[in-house]
Amino acid sequence: IQRTFSIIKPDATKRNLTGAITAKLEEAGLRVIASKRIRMTLEQAQTFYGVHKDRPFFGELCEFMTSEPVVVQVLEGENAIAKNREVMGATNPADAAPGTIRAEYALSVGENSVHGSDAPETAAEEIAYFFSGLELV
Ligand code: ATP
Ligand code: MG
């Protein structure tokens, strides 16, 4: 059993898609074991996306992620990291497979509705960045 970290991004929370997206995650066999709605600070967004700090879209990305509340979640299941990436679909919704979250809901490559950890190390780091051990049951 594996855990991964997910964010329902501002474009999605704003359009009341939290339930629809969570349903897709659950249908894929992922269990939501922690969930909360937060408004990220600019500093949190910059730290969270630190690996992208030299990319041209970094400023825009951090501004977007702090523009509205987000829902941060911990998902658990068999191969949760890969399974979540699969149900999310490609980063650019134009390339996302039909039926995936991004194919159905994303607005653009930036406003693409969800984040999901890409490896066990980043999943552990990202979970610990937003949740305390006591919140994970
Ligand atoms: P995430 O990390 O959010 O799960 P990802 O792994 O599919 O998405 P990354 O390459 O890690 O994509 O990029 C992180 C995020 O930065 C993307 O989800 C998207 O919101 C934003 N982003 C990526 N590329 C661009 C771009 N060319 N223009 C604007 N925003 C972008
Ligand atoms: Mg990524």
Side-chain angles (χ1 to χ4, degrees), residues 52 85 115-116 118:
H52 297 308
R85 301 284 297 182
H115 162 84
D118 55 16

Side-chain angles (χ1 to χ4, degrees), residues 9 48-49 51-52 55 57 60-61 64-65 85 88-92 102 108-112 114-118 126:
K9 294 186 179 184
F48 181 76
Y49 281 117
V51 291
H52 297 308
R55 304 275 205 97
F57 58 80
E60 181 191 323
L61 174 61
F64 165 60
M65 291 301 290
R85 301 284 297 182
M88 286 163 61
T91 308
N92 186 339
R102 283 166 168 167
S108 66
V109 64
E111 302 198 12
N112 60 1
V114 279
H115 162 84
S117 308
D118 55 16
E126 291 173 0

Side-chain angles (χ1 to χ4, degrees), residues 35-48:
S35 183
K36 60 188 174 189
R37 183 170 182 266
I38 61 164
R39 178 83 181 255
M40 268 199 214
T41 65
L42 188 59
E43 195 188 7
Q44 266 178 325
Q46 288 169 338
T47 303
F48 181 76

